[in-house]
Amino acid sequence: MKDSEKISILQHLIQIESVNDHEEQVADYIAALFAPYGQQVQITKVPFAKGRVNLVVTMGNGNGTHLGFSGHMDVVDPGNVEKWEHAPFGGEVDEASNKLFGRGASDMKSGLAAAVIVMLELLESNTPVQGQIKLLATVGEETGEYGAHVLTQAGYADDLDGLIITEPHMDGIITSCKGVIDYQVTSVGVPAHSSRPDMGVNAIDNLIQFYLAVKQLMAQHQEENPKLGKMTHSIDIIEGGKQVNSVPDFAMLKGNIRSIPEYSNEQIFADIQAIVAKLNASDPQMKLAVKFIYPEVPIINGENQLTKLAQEISPKYFAKTLPVESSSGANDGSEFVQAQKDFPIILVGPGNNSSHGYDEYVDLDQYLTSIQYLADVAQQFVGIAKTAKVEA
Ligand SMILES: [Zn+2]
């Protein structure tokens, strides 16, 4: 495939405004790219909601090694459009800097396009695939990994021997990620005039008791993971009360935890629930409730063939051997890691720190090189090159 075509595919993807929705249009566009190879691929749409479908494209003969490629089709909101120099959904190319601009240029329509193009090029060149390559394109990654959850629950990842998530990261290969837990605690009180606080129940006072207890709990957990470091906890939203002459009858806080295997998500849920139960039991006027929002488990990969291969091949395409790295961010991998079978998950793909910002961009040289690199990793992992030689 010509470079101009590879760039045009990325432009098309960016021009579809899949801001936390409308992923079906992205899925349809990708499915249409594979349509000419209808005999050699299996295309499946896996719905999540109206207008929001995951896409699974499988190629190969099903024997041997199975490699997955995954990318999310949603993007975040462009924010204040006035602050963009390039139209957020234009996919404009600046020839001078060789950059392509637009929401998703980095996170992660370039990575999605790269995975799609690796597969298209194998089909185009009629390369026999002994194993299997499977594209898992997802919905709703940015707001809770819904799509990856649906695909994993439905068993689409159960046959994989390795998964490459082409999220924007080209300085290294991410093989471990912290888990994420967002939680919300609400406190319900009884309103009264502030001149007679004894007539009411102050929801803020009660919420503060939880605040202090959870801070104390989290401070006790200094376990350290050799790859991920320590768990972190931060209370980031607190609300309560409406006017200064009324005892507040409602207060709420939200906290964010980045978890490590040494202090598991299950244990964290249990410990926070225990605090709430204990406080509620301690005082009949205490009415606290906790809710966990889209928790994600940590990912840890030991030594494995996919990481080894991705590292070994890297100096051919980049100035150095890509180092193994870790991340404290959430991604679809936290869902796929819950598949029936254990397999390595790595994150590597085109993009940069402009993700989610104004004038998000991808460097086109990097984009095109990443396609060659990912193709090489894929071919060696599923053994295409070897098989082709044996058959010849
Ligand atoms: Zn992303």
Side-chain angles (χ1 to χ4, degrees):
M1 192 186 289
K2 285 191 207 134
D3 286 352
S4 58
E5 234 177 300
K6 295 175 187 172
I7 294 166
S8 152
I9 287 175
L10 176 54
Q11 284 175 313
H12 269 101
L13 288 170
I14 288 172
Q15 284 158 4
I16 302 169
E17 299 188 24
S18 53
V19 177
N20 304 319
D21 199 351
H22 310 298
E23 293 95 335
E24 186 161 20
Q25 293 170 38
V26 180
D28 284 343
Y29 173 66
I30 295 173
L33 293 172
F34 282 101
Y37 309 102
Q39 299 298 313
Q40 300 148 69
V41 293
Q42 211 188 326
I43 302 173
T44 315
K45 280 176 155 192
V46 185
F48 167 70
K50 194 167 183 294
R52 312 192 71 176
V53 302
N54 301 285
L55 183 74
V56 181
V57 181
T58 309
M59 61 179 286
N61 68 11
N63 301 320
T65 309
H66 291 203
L67 173 69
F69 269 118
S70 182
H72 59 84
M73 298 182 285
D74 57 316
V75 293
V76 296
D77 193 274
N80 185 352
V81 178
E82 308 273 292
K83 298 219 170 162
W84 286 69
E85 215 169 288
H86 304 270
F89 300 103
E92 286 169 32
V93 172
D94 177 64
E95 306 277 346
S97 62
N98 203 31
K99 289 174 178 172
L100 190 154
F101 291 88
R103 174 57 83 231
S106 174
D107 187 11
M108 61 165 288
K109 285 181 168 167
S110 52
L112 180 63
V116 167
I117 292 165
V118 166
M119 293 173 71
L120 287 174
E121 286 195 305
L122 287 170
L123 292 162
E124 200 177 63
S125 59
N126 231 334
T127 308
V129 176
Q130 174 67 20
Q132 193 173 76
I133 302 179
K134 187 191 279 189
L135 174 73
L136 299 151
T138 63
V139 307
E141 190 274 344
E142 297 286 2
T143 44
E145 291 85 24
Y146 321 132
H149 181 78
V150 168
L151 289 178
T152 306
Q153 293 303 308
Y156 284 97
D158 288 344
D159 66 315
L160 297 182
D161 298 301
L163 176 65
I164 303 175
I165 302 180
T166 51
E167 284 274 10
H169 192 79
M170 286 285 22
D171 306 325
I173 298 163
I174 294 175
T175 63
S176 45
C177 308
K178 284 183 176 174
V180 181
I181 301 171
D182 287 335
Y183 69 89
Q184 173 181 282
V185 175
T186 53
S187 168
V188 175
V190 175
H193 197 283
S194 297
S195 61
R196 288 296 307 276
D198 55 300
M199 304 280 287
V201 174
N202 190 312
I204 294 177
D205 284 351
N206 288 349
L207 188 67
I208 295 299
Q209 295 209 37
F210 171 83
Y211 182 103
L212 295 172
V214 78
K215 282 289 208 188
Q216 198 182 20
L217 166 74
M218 294 301 168
Q220 286 163 9
H221 285 279
Q222 296 297 321
E223 300 93 338
E224 199 160 343
N225 180 274
K227 286 184 175 140
L228 296 170
K230 290 179 183 175
M231 175 270 301
T232 62
H233 171 242
S234 175
I235 293 176
D236 302 312
I237 296 176
I238 186 157
E239 287 171 9
K242 289 226 166 64
Q243 50 191 21
V244 77
N245 58 354
S246 292
V247 171
D249 63 343
F250 183 80
M252 179 277 284
L253 65 75
K254 282 186 181 178
N256 177 276
I257 296 165
R258 302 284 160 149
S259 62
I260 58 172
E262 285 73 7
Y263 184 29
S264 72
N265 283 20
E266 279 68 31
Q267 193 58 52
I268 292 171
F269 301 151
D271 288 354
I272 290 180
Q273 273 159 342
I275 292 176
V276 168
K278 196 175 158 198
L279 287 171
N280 283 341
S282 72
D283 181 349
Q285 298 197 318
M286 186 86 70
K287 288 193 169 57
L288 301 175
V290 61
K291 177 167 91 175
F292 299 100
I293 306 152
Y294 297 114
E296 296 294 354
V297 297
I299 305 170
I300 296 280
N301 284 303
E303 267 186 43
N304 66 80
Q305 201 52 37
L306 181 59
T307 306
K308 206 170 146 235
L309 196 61
Q311 278 200 289
E312 274 171 12
I313 293 173
S314 61
K316 208 172 134 190
Y317 299 92
F318 310 102
K320 56 172 185 181
T321 300
L322 296 179
V324 165
E325 291 179 346
S326 62
S327 153
S328 51
N331 61 76
D332 279 342
S334 293
E335 291 294 336
F336 290 126
V337 78
Q338 298 179 60
Q340 295 296 317
K341 195 169 97 184
D342 268 346
F343 52 82
I345 298 177
I346 64 172
L347 276 75
V348 61
N352 51 61
N353 289 335
S354 70
S355 301
H356 297 209
Y358 301 127
D359 290 310
E360 181 175 344
Y361 72 92
V362 67
D363 177 278
L364 285 175
D365 280 337
Q366 188 204 50
Y367 168 62
L368 296 169
T369 306
S370 77
I371 296 170
Q372 294 177 328
Y373 167 66
L374 292 167
D376 204 351
V377 175
Q379 298 202 19
Q380 296 206 32
F381 190 69
V382 298
I384 296 163
K386 247 181 281 160
T387 312
K389 254 180 235 153
V390 170
E391 282 177 358

